[in-house]
Amino acid sequence: MKNKLHFRTIVISDLHLGTKGSKAKEVTNFLKQYKCRKLILNGDIIDGWQLKKYGAWKKKHTAFFKTVLKMMDDYDTKVIYLRGNHDDFLDQIMPLKLGKQFQIRKDYILKSGGKRFYITHGDVFDSITTHMKWLAYLGDVGYTFLLWVNKLYNHYRSWQGLPYYSLSQVVKQRVKAAVSYISDFEEKLTELARSRNCDGIICGHIHQPAIRQMGDVIYMNSGDWVESLSALVEDYNGNWSLIYYNEEANTSKEPTISEFFGQKGRLAQVS
């Protein structure tokens, strides 16, 4: 049996459990391969928006939480669930703390390698999700439709022996408004980190995995488990990296090397 890799912290976000696009089996398999001291579920884990209308809760969604509970029981993992815009139903119960191992809250400050990281889902700076929720719902319908089209298209590509192709990612990269939105989002989140006297920001929300230095602030985004299938991980030396799940091999790839602080070939060193 393969030895499990050990991490101090794993951060995952945007699972959207309850939707057809959620890669629930994949994220569950991912967590079964690793053990960590701290698991941070950074928002949009459960998609309450779609569950209210046309979503469906399945056994594979329950299996994810069973795996999280097993991590808590077997490895004494501490789990921190941060509320996102799609699981805003948590507003009714948070902050909630169950013993020493599980809590639900709005945000969190993580100490890592002698630095402080402010962790939040990121929708706090999204004017659409906070002030124009009806438009956010409309955008969610459009995104769901795009994922449906993307699924059909990739069935065809698979039949042709071609690799996976993400329509939504291409749209985001080519539409100027989307590129501008992402850039503005990142800048506002780094400003938030500074205002909290933190050295870095860890977020999700926009489904764009990243580790980069933005001025004096380290910006990190854990991506999502709809298309990117990515997670942020921290080792015991305070090094951060992104891991992408390899769906075909039913295993995860080795941690990607992040070109960080201008030092090529080293993991993201934040100590």
Side-chain angles (χ1 to χ4, degrees):
M1 185 169 127
K2 232 179 197 179
N3 290 329
K4 293 178 181 289
L5 293 179
H6 298 256
F7 293 111
R8 181 175 182 269
T9 308
I10 295 177
V11 183
I12 57 177
S13 66
D14 299 273
L15 277 61
H16 294 278
L17 298 176
T19 69
K20 290 183 179 179
S22 175
K23 298 296 190 296
K25 288 183 179 178
E26 288 78 358
V27 70
T28 300
N29 288 336
F30 172 81
L31 289 182
K32 286 179 179 179
Q33 295 178 52
Y34 302 101
K35 49 186 175 183
C36 59
R37 286 179 56 188
K38 190 172 294 183
L39 174 65
I40 299 176
L41 307 176
N42 196 10
D44 286 2
I45 304 302
I46 299 173
D47 198 318
W49 290 10
Q50 290 203 31
L51 282 172
K52 287 179 181 177
K53 295 184 177 181
Y54 42 78
W57 192 264
K58 299 183 178 180
K59 288 183 178 179
K60 60 182 180 180
H61 302 142
T62 301
F64 167 78
F65 285 104
K66 286 183 177 179
T67 299
V68 171
L69 289 172
K70 185 173 177 60
M71 291 174 68
M72 294 170 63
D73 187 41
D74 291 352
Y75 312 128
D76 201 29
T77 299
K78 182 178 180 180
V79 178
I80 300 166
Y81 189 145
L82 303 181
R83 166 241 194 250
N85 51 300
H86 281 257
D87 40 22
D88 53 5
F89 58 87
L90 294 174
D91 288 340
Q92 302 174 41
I93 62 171
M94 70 177 201
L96 175 67
K97 189 172 183 180
L98 299 176
K100 296 181 179 180
Q101 286 183 267
F102 183 83
Q103 55 183 301
I104 299 175
R105 50 193 299 166
K106 182 180 180 181
D107 52 19
Y108 184 72
I109 292 180
L110 175 72
K111 293 181 180 179
S112 168
K115 295 184 181 293
R116 286 160 44 93
F117 286 84
Y118 184 68
I119 308 180
T120 180
H121 181 64
D123 59 296
V124 63
F125 280 124
D126 191 337
S127 59
I128 292 177
T129 59
T130 54
H131 302 299
M132 301 177 67
K133 191 163 284 189
W134 64 272
L135 186 56
Y137 280 120
L138 183 61
D140 183 52
V141 172
Y143 181 64
T144 301
F145 175 73
L146 190 59
L147 288 176
W148 177 75
V149 173
N150 194 59
K151 184 177 181 180
L152 294 179
Y153 178 55
N154 275 290
H155 276 313
Y156 169 74
R157 287 180 63 85
S158 178
W159 179 64
Q160 293 289 324
L162 298 172
Y164 180 85
Y165 184 83
S166 174
L167 288 173
S168 67
Q169 295 292 341
V170 171
V171 169
K172 287 178 184 178
Q173 292 168 6
R174 293 187 179 180
V175 178
K176 289 185 178 180
V179 173
S180 177
Y181 165 77
I182 292 172
S183 177
D184 187 53
F185 173 85
E186 293 174 347
E187 289 179 6
K188 287 181 177 178
L189 265 293
T190 56
E191 290 174 8
L192 177 61
R194 291 189 190 98
S195 70
R196 299 299 174 95
N197 296 315
C198 290
D199 304 286
I201 184 82
I202 298 176
C203 59
H205 188 52
I206 59 173
H207 296 203
Q208 294 284 315
I211 299 179
R212 65 172 62 95
Q213 184 79 29
M214 297 184 65
D216 59 339
V217 174
I218 302 165
Y219 171 86
M220 293 193 280
N221 193 306
S222 52
D224 69 282
W225 286 86
V226 178
E227 293 184 278
S228 301
L229 278 64
S230 57
L232 284 166
V233 296
E234 177 205 15
D235 68 18
Y236 284 89
N237 294 317
N239 300 315
W240 285 88
S241 58
L242 280 164
I243 293 183
Y244 293 85
Y245 183 83
N246 186 340
E247 192 169 7
E248 291 183 359
N250 195 31
T251 183
S252 58
K253 298 177 182 177
E254 291 299 316
T256 58
I257 301 300
S258 304
E259 294 182 18
F260 205 44
F261 292 133
Q263 299 178 10
K264 192 172 182 179
R266 292 183 61 187
L267 289 177
Q269 178 68 45
V270 299
S271 58

